Amino acid sequence: MDSRGWARIAARLAPAAGGLSIVLTITIGVLGPSAMVPGLPGRSWQPPYSLDLAPDGRLVVALAAAALVLGTAGLAAGLAYADRMPRARTLVVAGCAAAAVLAFLPPSGSADHLNYAAYGRMAALGHDPYATVPADLPADPVIGRVEEWRNTPSLYGPVATAVQALASHVGGDSVRLTVFVMALVNAAAFVATGLLLHRATAGDPVRQRRAALLWTANPLIVYELVAGMHLDTVAIAFVVAGLVARRGVPLGLGVAVKATVGLVALGTAWELRRSPRRLALVAGLAALTVFVAYLLAGPHALDQLLNASRSVSLATPWKLAQRALQTVFGSGAYRAWIQAGSLLLLAALAVLLLRGRPTAEREGPVVALAVAVAWLFATPYALPWYDGLGFALLALVAWPGLEAFLVARLAVLSLAYLPARQADQPADLGWLVGVVRGWVAPSLLLALTIALLWWAARSGTRVRTPPAPAAPRPSGPSPESRSPSR
């Protein structure tokens, strides 16, 4: 089959697979509390809504796996043939409509939104969420619903806590209504980012389609950030706005939601390096915003963040290194080696990516993307929804080849975290954590990281290789000049 035949197939496959993936994601929420969807106590008339069918855990996990596989296939085909996809406006409207529907359904995939509701409730009641743990207030109707993180204070930024406290003031002692308010904020941030990316790529229909495929109509992003209702969505909205407009306050607000997105500021700083006054203004406003936010949050706002920076998550390649180092250094002594190794890997990836960066793109988004991708692949602690930052930045930059690595990485991580909660799990699905998340995913991501290093090194070599000199032209009149004119 020739390339035209494959393009025709992709033009049909990509929208169908992506759309079906999003429908399956919506179905998981519609079915109600399950192994994928934590229950939300509250009055039945309050949103979010579901059918409360209590589906079997195996069914919803299978639906999620199908959604991820179909979403990956549709996304890969769509990006390969972006010029054959539906108009960008159609893709944006479809993605925004899906986000609006999901805002009225219970979040799925993890129980993080219960943590958000608990920390907001603490702040609303006058407790310090950075010094108080949910286990300290087990009788509270909202705080007592936390599942896995009962002994962990908040590690989120002050702006995130402010949003959570606002939701708690509206929701009161109803977990359901509190979560719904946060879901509205999350959906609004997702839509705002999509519209901003659409506008930033205006003037080039193919780039606009690609931006929509990478963010607004991306089934994997919809699954992780919208259905999962992770606050990374809000942080990404702020930093993308700051990067596009080269403004310090949005960058500072993004860092005050989640500190790791501050990597994006390096792109803005590099882009403004030749304008010292503008750089000082943008950097000063960003730093001032972060300083004021954390000053108002109190002295413990950074405590848990510093502790989390030394953690190793189960699905990253560093978990394999941890197991090997533990046999040599014992429990706990491996942390310094892993931290040093991750920093070296981050630096190597960033340098290699920047050496092979596309030169026709805006410097700020390119540098921000390179550093963000290097961090995603190098950090010892990573969860699937963290990759949303990479996709949002990639939507601003035409970097052929790099998107394949991000799609593959998010697909592997998403499948590894089926589901990302411990409660209500069928006993016969324990292998998903022990085997898939513990061994298969780290091994695949290790191979993918090595492949990215090799690809980035080759890309840098191609960029540095000067073009071959043109062959000397023969002397004397050319054949065209000797031929009679018509």
Side-chain angles (χ1 to χ4, degrees), residues 409-481:
R409 173 186 159 83
L410 182 53
V412 170
L413 269 179
S414 296
L415 289 168
Y417 279 89
L418 278 178
R421 61 186 295 252
Q422 300 173 4
D424 303 324
Q425 296 307 303
D428 57 351
L429 292 183
W431 58 273
L432 288 174
V433 175
V435 178
V436 177
R437 195 181 304 173
W439 291 99
V440 176
S443 301
L444 290 175
L445 291 179
L446 176 60
L448 191 63
T449 303
I450 294 172
L452 177 60
L453 282 165
W454 176 82
W455 176 83
R458 283 179 56 87
S459 298
T461 301
R462 287 195 295 269
V463 168
R464 294 193 311 274
T465 301
R473 299 186 61 178
S475 59
S478 65
E480 290 80 6
S481 65

Side-chain angles (χ1 to χ4, degrees), residues 364-385:
V366 167
V367 172
L369 175 60
V371 176
V373 169
W375 171 74
L376 288 171
F377 277 83
T379 180
Y381 193 90
L383 296 169
W385 40 93

Side-chain angles (χ1 to χ4, degrees), residues 313-399:
S313 57
L314 195 56
T316 66
W318 294 107
K319 181 57 69 172
L320 303 177
Q322 176 184 333
R323 295 189 182 109
L325 290 170
Q326 276 183 321
T327 61
V328 178
F329 298 102
S331 179
Y334 60 85
R335 296 184 187 276
W337 291 94
I338 288 180
Q339 285 184 305
S342 66
L343 290 174
L344 287 174
L345 177 59
L346 190 157
L349 269 173
V351 169
L352 290 174
L353 286 169
L354 288 171
R355 289 170 70 186
R357 67 187 183 274
T359 55
E361 300 289 322
R362 253 188 67 188
E363 287 186 311
V366 167
V367 172
L369 175 60
V371 176
V373 169
W375 171 74
L376 288 171
F377 277 83
T379 180
Y381 193 90
L383 296 169
W385 40 93
Y386 292 9
D387 285 28
L389 177 63
F391 278 89
L393 297 176
L394 188 59
L396 292 170
V397 178
W399 199 328

Side-chain angles (χ1 to χ4, degrees), residues 156-172:
Y156 307 110
V159 171
T161 300
V163 172
Q164 294 159 3
L166 173 63
S168 183
H169 279 295
V170 175

Side-chain angles (χ1 to χ4, degrees), residues 111-130 132-135 137 140-147 149-150 152-154 156 161 164-165 167-168 172 174-175 178-179 182 229:
D112 279 6
H113 52 283
L114 299 179
N115 303 337
Y116 303 162
Y119 297 137
R121 175 77 167 174
M122 291 176 189
L125 294 177
H127 300 283
D128 183 356
Y130 300 107
T132 308
V133 299
L137 302 165
D140 185 90
V142 177
I143 300 172
R145 297 298 301 184
V146 171
E147 292 183 358
W149 303 101
R150 298 188 59 80
T152 306
S154 176
Y156 307 110
T161 300
Q164 294 159 3
S168 183
S174 171
V175 179
T178 302
V179 168
M182 291 189 293
M229 208 199 82

Side-chain angles (χ1 to χ4, degrees), residues 31-436:
L31 293 175
S34 66
M36 291 288 297
V37 179
L40 300 176
R43 298 172 180 85
S44 59
W45 58 266
Q46 294 174 336
Y49 305 112
S50 72
L51 298 178
D52 290 323
L53 296 180
D56 181 77
R58 301 169 192 82
L59 172 63
V60 291
V61 170
L63 289 175
L68 293 171
V69 171
L70 286 169
T72 302
L75 178 59
L79 291 172
Y81 299 95
D83 58 327
R84 298 294 188 99
M85 292 302 101
R87 291 189 309 165
R89 183 174 298 179
T90 302
L91 295 171
V92 170
V93 169
C96 292
V101 171
L102 285 165
F104 284 83
L105 299 175
S108 60
S110 81
D112 279 6
H113 52 283
L114 299 179
N115 303 337
Y116 303 162
Y119 297 137
R121 175 77 167 174
M122 291 176 189
L125 294 177
H127 300 283
D128 183 356
Y130 300 107
T132 308
V133 299
D136 294 335
L137 302 165
D140 185 90
V142 177
I143 300 172
R145 297 298 301 184
V146 171
E147 292 183 358
E148 290 93 352
W149 303 101
R150 298 188 59 80
N151 295 302
T152 306
S154 176
L155 54 78
Y156 307 110
V159 171
T161 300
V163 172
Q164 294 159 3
L166 173 63
S168 183
H169 279 295
V170 175
D173 59 1
S174 171
V175 179
R176 184 186 296 242
L177 191 55
T178 302
V179 168
F180 174 64
V181 174
M182 291 189 293
L184 290 179
V185 174
N186 185 77
F190 175 80
V191 170
T193 303
L195 296 176
L196 181 60
L197 294 173
H198 183 73
R199 182 176 180 180
T201 52
D204 187 333
V206 175
R207 290 194 68 159
Q208 281 195 316
R209 287 189 182 101
R210 180 177 170 274
L213 290 168
L214 287 167
W215 182 262
T216 323
N218 184 337
L220 302 182
I221 293 297
V222 170
Y223 175 92
E224 293 293 356
L225 292 183
V226 185
M229 208 199 82
H230 293 285
L231 58 78
D232 299 67
T233 315
V234 179
I236 291 168
F238 279 128
V239 295
V240 168
L243 180 65
V244 170
R246 297 180 232 186
R247 295 290 187 270
V249 173
L251 289 171
L253 290 173
V255 174
V257 173
K258 192 170 184 180
T260 49
V261 300
L263 294 167
V264 173
L266 297 175
T268 300
W270 179 259
E271 193 170 33
L272 297 177
R273 68 190 185 281
R274 296 185 182 90
S275 303
R277 292 184 179 179
R278 181 72 185 279
L279 175 58
L281 176 63
V282 171
L285 287 173
L288 180 62
T289 302
V290 174
F291 175 77
V292 171
Y294 276 93
L295 182 66
L296 294 174
H300 300 290
L302 292 173
D303 292 354
Q304 187 58 25
L305 181 63
L306 296 175
N307 292 331
S309 66
R310 296 189 291 268
S311 301
V312 180
S313 57
L314 195 56
T316 66
W318 294 107
K319 181 57 69 172
L320 303 177
Q322 176 184 333
R323 295 189 182 109
L325 290 170
Q326 276 183 321
T327 61
V328 178
F329 298 102
S331 179
Y334 60 85
R335 296 184 187 276
W337 291 94
I338 288 180
Q339 285 184 305
S342 66
L343 290 174
L344 287 174
L345 177 59
L346 190 157
L349 269 173
V351 169
L352 290 174
L353 286 169
L354 288 171
R355 289 170 70 186
R357 67 187 183 274
T359 55
E361 300 289 322
R362 253 188 67 188
E363 287 186 311
V366 167
V367 172
L369 175 60
V371 176
V373 169
W375 171 74
L376 288 171
F377 277 83
T379 180
Y381 193 90
L383 296 169
W385 40 93
Y386 292 9
D387 285 28
L389 177 63
F391 278 89
L393 297 176
L394 188 59
L396 292 170
V397 178
W399 199 328
L402 186 57
E403 57 198 22
F405 290 96
L406 285 180
V407 172
R409 173 186 159 83
L410 182 53
V412 170
L413 269 179
S414 296
L415 289 168
Y417 279 89
L418 278 178
R421 61 186 295 252
Q422 300 173 4
D424 303 324
Q425 296 307 303
D428 57 351
L429 292 183
W431 58 273
L432 288 174
V433 175
V435 178
V436 177

